[in-house]
Short mmCIF file of all heavy atoms in Angstrom, two decimals:
data_model
loop_
_atom_site.label_atom_id
_atom_site.label_comp_id
_atom_site.label_asym_id
_atom_site.label_seq_id
_atom_site.Cartn_x
_atom_site.Cartn_y
_atom_site.Cartn_z
N ILE A 1 -147.66 6.72 -59.30
CA ILE A 1 -148.81 7.48 -58.82
C ILE A 1 -149.04 7.16 -57.36
O ILE A 1 -148.48 6.20 -56.81
CB ILE A 1 -150.08 7.17 -59.64
CG1 ILE A 1 -150.46 5.69 -59.47
CG2 ILE A 1 -149.90 7.51 -61.10
CD1 ILE A 1 -151.82 5.36 -60.09
N ALA A 2 -149.84 7.96 -56.71
CA ALA A 2 -150.23 7.73 -55.32
C ALA A 2 -151.73 7.97 -55.21
O ALA A 2 -152.33 8.65 -56.05
CB ALA A 2 -149.46 8.65 -54.38
N ALA A 3 -152.34 7.38 -54.20
CA ALA A 3 -153.79 7.53 -54.02
C ALA A 3 -154.13 7.44 -52.55
O ALA A 3 -153.43 6.77 -51.77
CB ALA A 3 -154.54 6.46 -54.81
N SER A 4 -155.20 8.11 -52.16
CA SER A 4 -155.66 8.10 -50.77
C SER A 4 -157.17 8.02 -50.71
O SER A 4 -157.88 8.50 -51.61
CB SER A 4 -155.20 9.36 -50.03
OG SER A 4 -153.83 9.32 -49.71
N LEU A 5 -157.64 7.39 -49.64
CA LEU A 5 -159.06 7.40 -49.29
C LEU A 5 -159.30 8.54 -48.31
O LEU A 5 -158.51 8.74 -47.37
CB LEU A 5 -159.44 6.07 -48.63
CG LEU A 5 -160.81 6.02 -47.95
CD1 LEU A 5 -161.94 5.96 -48.96
CD2 LEU A 5 -160.90 4.83 -46.98
N TYR A 6 -160.37 9.28 -48.52
CA TYR A 6 -160.76 10.34 -47.59
C TYR A 6 -162.10 9.98 -46.97
O TYR A 6 -163.06 9.66 -47.68
CB TYR A 6 -160.84 11.68 -48.31
CG TYR A 6 -159.48 12.24 -48.69
CD1 TYR A 6 -158.87 11.86 -49.88
CD2 TYR A 6 -158.81 13.11 -47.85
CE1 TYR A 6 -157.62 12.33 -50.23
CE2 TYR A 6 -157.55 13.59 -48.18
CZ TYR A 6 -156.97 13.20 -49.38
OH TYR A 6 -155.72 13.68 -49.70
N LEU A 7 -162.15 10.02 -45.64
CA LEU A 7 -163.36 9.71 -44.89
C LEU A 7 -163.79 10.94 -44.12
O LEU A 7 -163.01 11.52 -43.36
CB LEU A 7 -163.11 8.57 -43.90
CG LEU A 7 -163.07 7.14 -44.44
CD1 LEU A 7 -162.53 6.20 -43.37
CD2 LEU A 7 -164.45 6.69 -44.88
N ARG A 8 -165.05 11.35 -44.33
CA ARG A 8 -165.60 12.46 -43.54
C ARG A 8 -166.53 11.88 -42.49
O ARG A 8 -167.52 11.23 -42.81
CB ARG A 8 -166.35 13.46 -44.42
CG ARG A 8 -166.95 14.60 -43.58
CD ARG A 8 -167.77 15.58 -44.38
NE ARG A 8 -166.93 16.40 -45.23
CZ ARG A 8 -166.99 16.40 -46.56
NH1 ARG A 8 -167.83 15.58 -47.18
NH2 ARG A 8 -166.22 17.18 -47.27
N ASN A 9 -166.19 12.11 -41.23
CA ASN A 9 -166.97 11.58 -40.11
C ASN A 9 -168.36 12.20 -40.09
O ASN A 9 -168.52 13.41 -40.28
CB ASN A 9 -166.24 11.85 -38.80
CG ASN A 9 -166.89 11.17 -37.63
OD1 ASN A 9 -167.95 11.57 -37.18
ND2 ASN A 9 -166.25 10.14 -37.11
N ALA A 10 -169.36 11.37 -39.86
CA ALA A 10 -170.74 11.85 -39.87
C ALA A 10 -171.03 12.81 -38.73
O ALA A 10 -171.85 13.72 -38.85
CB ALA A 10 -171.70 10.66 -39.79
N ALA A 11 -170.35 12.63 -37.60
CA ALA A 11 -170.69 13.41 -36.41
C ALA A 11 -170.04 14.79 -36.40
O ALA A 11 -170.71 15.80 -36.21
CB ALA A 11 -170.30 12.63 -35.15
N ASP A 12 -168.73 14.84 -36.62
CA ASP A 12 -168.02 16.11 -36.45
C ASP A 12 -167.46 16.69 -37.74
O ASP A 12 -166.76 17.71 -37.72
CB ASP A 12 -166.89 15.95 -35.43
CG ASP A 12 -165.91 14.84 -35.81
OD1 ASP A 12 -165.89 14.44 -37.00
OD2 ASP A 12 -165.17 14.37 -34.93
N GLU A 13 -167.76 16.03 -38.88
CA GLU A 13 -167.32 16.53 -40.19
C GLU A 13 -165.80 16.51 -40.36
O GLU A 13 -165.28 17.08 -41.33
CB GLU A 13 -167.85 17.95 -40.45
CG GLU A 13 -169.36 18.02 -40.61
CD GLU A 13 -169.86 17.33 -41.88
OE1 GLU A 13 -169.36 17.66 -42.96
OE2 GLU A 13 -170.73 16.47 -41.77
N GLN A 14 -165.08 15.89 -39.44
CA GLN A 14 -163.64 15.79 -39.59
C GLN A 14 -163.29 14.85 -40.74
O GLN A 14 -163.93 13.81 -40.92
CB GLN A 14 -163.00 15.29 -38.29
CG GLN A 14 -163.09 16.28 -37.13
CD GLN A 14 -162.30 17.54 -37.40
OE1 GLN A 14 -161.13 17.49 -37.78
NE2 GLN A 14 -162.94 18.68 -37.20
N VAL A 15 -162.26 15.20 -41.52
CA VAL A 15 -161.85 14.40 -42.65
C VAL A 15 -160.53 13.69 -42.33
O VAL A 15 -159.59 14.31 -41.84
CB VAL A 15 -161.68 15.26 -43.92
CG1 VAL A 15 -161.15 14.42 -45.07
CG2 VAL A 15 -163.01 15.90 -44.30
N GLN A 16 -160.51 12.40 -42.58
CA GLN A 16 -159.32 11.58 -42.33
C GLN A 16 -158.79 11.05 -43.65
O GLN A 16 -159.55 10.58 -44.50
CB GLN A 16 -159.69 10.42 -41.40
CG GLN A 16 -158.55 9.48 -41.07
CD GLN A 16 -158.99 8.34 -40.16
OE1 GLN A 16 -160.17 8.17 -39.89
NE2 GLN A 16 -158.03 7.55 -39.71
N GLU A 17 -157.48 11.15 -43.85
CA GLU A 17 -156.85 10.61 -45.06
C GLU A 17 -156.17 9.29 -44.74
O GLU A 17 -155.41 9.18 -43.78
CB GLU A 17 -155.80 11.59 -45.62
CG GLU A 17 -155.09 11.04 -46.86
CD GLU A 17 -153.99 11.95 -47.38
OE1 GLU A 17 -153.72 12.99 -46.74
OE2 GLU A 17 -153.39 11.61 -48.42
N LEU A 18 -156.47 8.27 -45.56
CA LEU A 18 -155.85 6.96 -45.42
C LEU A 18 -155.19 6.60 -46.75
O LEU A 18 -155.88 6.39 -47.75
CB LEU A 18 -156.90 5.89 -45.06
CG LEU A 18 -157.67 6.09 -43.75
CD1 LEU A 18 -158.76 5.05 -43.64
CD2 LEU A 18 -156.73 6.01 -42.56
N PRO A 19 -153.85 6.55 -46.80
CA PRO A 19 -153.18 6.21 -48.05
C PRO A 19 -153.59 4.82 -48.53
O PRO A 19 -153.62 3.85 -47.76
CB PRO A 19 -151.70 6.26 -47.69
CG PRO A 19 -151.63 7.17 -46.50
CD PRO A 19 -152.89 6.90 -45.73
N LEU A 20 -153.91 4.72 -49.81
CA LEU A 20 -154.21 3.43 -50.41
C LEU A 20 -152.92 2.67 -50.69
O LEU A 20 -151.87 3.28 -50.95
CB LEU A 20 -154.99 3.61 -51.71
CG LEU A 20 -156.46 4.04 -51.56
CD1 LEU A 20 -156.98 4.56 -52.88
CD2 LEU A 20 -157.31 2.88 -51.10
N VAL A 21 -153.00 1.35 -50.66
CA VAL A 21 -151.84 0.49 -50.88
C VAL A 21 -152.02 -0.26 -52.19
O VAL A 21 -153.05 -0.91 -52.42
CB VAL A 21 -151.65 -0.51 -49.72
CG1 VAL A 21 -150.45 -1.41 -49.99
CG2 VAL A 21 -151.49 0.24 -48.40
N PHE A 22 -151.01 -0.18 -53.07
CA PHE A 22 -151.06 -0.89 -54.35
C PHE A 22 -151.01 -2.39 -54.11
O PHE A 22 -150.21 -2.88 -53.32
CB PHE A 22 -149.87 -0.46 -55.22
CG PHE A 22 -149.77 -1.23 -56.50
CD1 PHE A 22 -150.57 -0.92 -57.59
CD2 PHE A 22 -148.87 -2.29 -56.62
CE1 PHE A 22 -150.48 -1.64 -58.78
CE2 PHE A 22 -148.77 -3.01 -57.80
CZ PHE A 22 -149.58 -2.69 -58.88
N GLN A 23 -151.89 -3.12 -54.80
CA GLN A 23 -151.91 -4.58 -54.67
C GLN A 23 -151.37 -5.25 -55.93
O GLN A 23 -150.29 -5.81 -55.94
CB GLN A 23 -153.35 -5.06 -54.38
CG GLN A 23 -153.95 -4.48 -53.12
CD GLN A 23 -153.21 -4.91 -51.85
OE1 GLN A 23 -152.62 -5.98 -51.79
NE2 GLN A 23 -153.25 -4.06 -50.83
N ILE A 24 -152.13 -5.16 -57.03
CA ILE A 24 -151.73 -5.78 -58.29
C ILE A 24 -152.60 -5.23 -59.40
O ILE A 24 -153.77 -4.86 -59.17
CB ILE A 24 -151.87 -7.33 -58.21
CG1 ILE A 24 -151.26 -7.99 -59.44
CG2 ILE A 24 -153.33 -7.73 -58.04
CD1 ILE A 24 -151.21 -9.52 -59.34
N ASN A 25 -152.03 -5.09 -60.59
CA ASN A 25 -152.80 -4.70 -61.77
C ASN A 25 -153.63 -3.43 -61.55
O ASN A 25 -154.84 -3.40 -61.82
CB ASN A 25 -153.72 -5.84 -62.22
CG ASN A 25 -152.94 -6.99 -62.81
OD1 ASN A 25 -151.80 -6.84 -63.23
ND2 ASN A 25 -153.55 -8.17 -62.83
N ASP A 26 -152.99 -2.39 -61.00
CA ASP A 26 -153.63 -1.09 -60.78
C ASP A 26 -154.75 -1.14 -59.75
O ASP A 26 -155.60 -0.24 -59.71
CB ASP A 26 -154.15 -0.50 -62.10
CG ASP A 26 -153.05 -0.30 -63.12
OD1 ASP A 26 -151.99 0.23 -62.73
OD2 ASP A 26 -153.24 -0.67 -64.30
N TYR A 27 -154.78 -2.18 -58.94
CA TYR A 27 -155.80 -2.35 -57.90
C TYR A 27 -155.21 -1.90 -56.56
O TYR A 27 -154.16 -2.38 -56.14
CB TYR A 27 -156.24 -3.81 -57.85
CG TYR A 27 -157.27 -4.13 -56.80
CD1 TYR A 27 -158.57 -3.65 -56.89
CD2 TYR A 27 -156.94 -4.95 -55.72
CE1 TYR A 27 -159.52 -3.97 -55.93
CE2 TYR A 27 -157.88 -5.28 -54.76
CZ TYR A 27 -159.17 -4.78 -54.87
OH TYR A 27 -160.10 -5.10 -53.91
N TRP A 28 -155.90 -0.97 -55.90
CA TRP A 28 -155.42 -0.37 -54.65
C TRP A 28 -156.46 -0.58 -53.56
O TRP A 28 -157.67 -0.54 -53.82
CB TRP A 28 -155.20 1.13 -54.83
CG TRP A 28 -154.16 1.51 -55.84
CD1 TRP A 28 -154.21 1.31 -57.19
CD2 TRP A 28 -152.92 2.19 -55.59
NE1 TRP A 28 -153.09 1.81 -57.80
CE2 TRP A 28 -152.28 2.36 -56.84
CE3 TRP A 28 -152.29 2.67 -54.44
CZ2 TRP A 28 -151.05 3.00 -56.97
CZ3 TRP A 28 -151.08 3.31 -54.56
CH2 TRP A 28 -150.46 3.46 -55.81
N THR A 29 -156.01 -0.78 -52.32
CA THR A 29 -156.94 -1.00 -51.21
C THR A 29 -156.44 -0.35 -49.93
O THR A 29 -155.24 -0.05 -49.79
CB THR A 29 -157.13 -2.50 -50.91
OG1 THR A 29 -155.90 -3.04 -50.42
CG2 THR A 29 -157.59 -3.26 -52.13
N VAL A 30 -157.37 -0.17 -49.00
CA VAL A 30 -157.04 0.20 -47.62
C VAL A 30 -158.22 -0.23 -46.75
O VAL A 30 -159.37 -0.23 -47.21
CB VAL A 30 -156.77 1.71 -47.47
CG1 VAL A 30 -158.05 2.53 -47.71
CG2 VAL A 30 -156.20 2.03 -46.09
N GLU A 31 -157.95 -0.63 -45.52
CA GLU A 31 -159.01 -1.06 -44.60
C GLU A 31 -159.20 -0.02 -43.51
O GLU A 31 -158.26 0.68 -43.11
CB GLU A 31 -158.67 -2.41 -43.97
CG GLU A 31 -158.72 -3.57 -44.95
CD GLU A 31 -158.52 -4.92 -44.26
OE1 GLU A 31 -157.99 -4.93 -43.13
OE2 GLU A 31 -158.91 -5.95 -44.84
N HIS A 32 -160.45 0.06 -43.04
CA HIS A 32 -160.76 0.98 -41.95
C HIS A 32 -161.82 0.34 -41.06
O HIS A 32 -162.79 -0.25 -41.55
CB HIS A 32 -161.28 2.31 -42.49
CG HIS A 32 -161.65 3.29 -41.41
ND1 HIS A 32 -160.70 3.95 -40.66
CD2 HIS A 32 -162.85 3.72 -40.95
CE1 HIS A 32 -161.29 4.75 -39.79
NE2 HIS A 32 -162.60 4.62 -39.95
N THR A 33 -161.64 0.46 -39.75
CA THR A 33 -162.61 -0.04 -38.78
C THR A 33 -163.42 1.12 -38.24
O THR A 33 -162.87 2.10 -37.72
CB THR A 33 -161.90 -0.77 -37.62
OG1 THR A 33 -161.12 -1.84 -38.16
CG2 THR A 33 -162.91 -1.32 -36.62
N PHE A 34 -164.73 1.01 -38.34
CA PHE A 34 -165.62 2.10 -37.94
C PHE A 34 -166.03 1.96 -36.47
O PHE A 34 -166.33 0.86 -35.99
CB PHE A 34 -166.87 2.12 -38.82
CG PHE A 34 -166.60 2.62 -40.21
CD1 PHE A 34 -166.27 1.73 -41.24
CD2 PHE A 34 -166.65 3.97 -40.50
CE1 PHE A 34 -166.02 2.18 -42.51
CE2 PHE A 34 -166.40 4.43 -41.78
CZ PHE A 34 -166.08 3.54 -42.78
N THR A 35 -166.06 3.09 -35.79
CA THR A 35 -166.38 3.10 -34.36
C THR A 35 -167.55 4.01 -34.03
O THR A 35 -167.97 4.06 -32.88
CB THR A 35 -165.17 3.54 -33.54
OG1 THR A 35 -164.75 4.85 -33.96
CG2 THR A 35 -164.01 2.57 -33.71
N GLU A 36 -168.09 4.73 -35.02
CA GLU A 36 -169.18 5.67 -34.75
C GLU A 36 -170.31 5.47 -35.76
O GLU A 36 -170.07 5.25 -36.95
CB GLU A 36 -168.68 7.11 -34.83
CG GLU A 36 -167.65 7.46 -33.75
CD GLU A 36 -167.26 8.92 -33.80
OE1 GLU A 36 -167.87 9.67 -34.58
OE2 GLU A 36 -166.33 9.31 -33.08
N MET A 37 -171.56 5.57 -35.28
CA MET A 37 -172.73 5.45 -36.14
C MET A 37 -172.88 6.69 -37.01
O MET A 37 -172.34 7.76 -36.72
CB MET A 37 -173.99 5.25 -35.29
CG MET A 37 -174.09 3.91 -34.60
SD MET A 37 -175.52 3.79 -33.49
CE MET A 37 -176.89 4.15 -34.60
N GLY A 38 -173.64 6.53 -38.09
CA GLY A 38 -173.95 7.67 -38.94
C GLY A 38 -173.57 7.42 -40.37
O GLY A 38 -172.91 6.44 -40.71
N LYS A 39 -173.96 8.36 -41.25
CA LYS A 39 -173.61 8.28 -42.66
C LYS A 39 -172.30 9.01 -42.89
O LYS A 39 -172.24 10.24 -42.83
CB LYS A 39 -174.73 8.87 -43.51
CG LYS A 39 -175.96 7.99 -43.61
CD LYS A 39 -177.00 8.57 -44.56
CE LYS A 39 -178.21 7.64 -44.67
NZ LYS A 39 -179.26 8.21 -45.55
N HIS A 40 -171.26 8.25 -43.16
CA HIS A 40 -169.94 8.80 -43.41
C HIS A 40 -169.76 8.97 -44.92
O HIS A 40 -170.16 8.11 -45.70
CB HIS A 40 -168.85 7.88 -42.87
CG HIS A 40 -168.96 7.63 -41.40
ND1 HIS A 40 -168.08 8.17 -40.48
CD2 HIS A 40 -169.85 6.91 -40.68
CE1 HIS A 40 -168.42 7.78 -39.27
NE2 HIS A 40 -169.49 7.01 -39.36
N SER A 41 -169.15 10.08 -45.32
CA SER A 41 -168.84 10.30 -46.72
C SER A 41 -167.42 9.80 -47.02
O SER A 41 -166.56 9.84 -46.14
CB SER A 41 -168.93 11.79 -47.08
OG SER A 41 -170.23 12.29 -46.82
#
């Protein structure tokens, strides 16, 4: 299987896809550093 995180920017509504990385026991993660204020979806 594959999985991705989707982030919608609060300011311009642009959507960014970040592929999740498998870790162990069906646990997946990805890190993101935020640079803009606001409520991101």
Side-chain angles (χ1 to χ4, degrees):
I1 63 172
S4 285
L5 168 74
Y6 288 86
L7 282 168
R8 179 183 289 117
N9 188 288
D12 56 19
E13 293 292 307
Q14 292 295 311
V15 176
Q16 180 181 7
E17 179 184 3
L18 299 173
L20 287 164
V21 178
F22 175 80
Q23 301 296 331
I24 189 173
N25 290 340
D26 300 314
Y27 178 68
W28 298 65
T29 67
V30 67
E31 291 186 340
H32 179 73
T33 302
F34 287 92
T35 58
E36 296 184 6
M37 290 174 57
K39 286 184 179 178
H40 301 252
S41 301

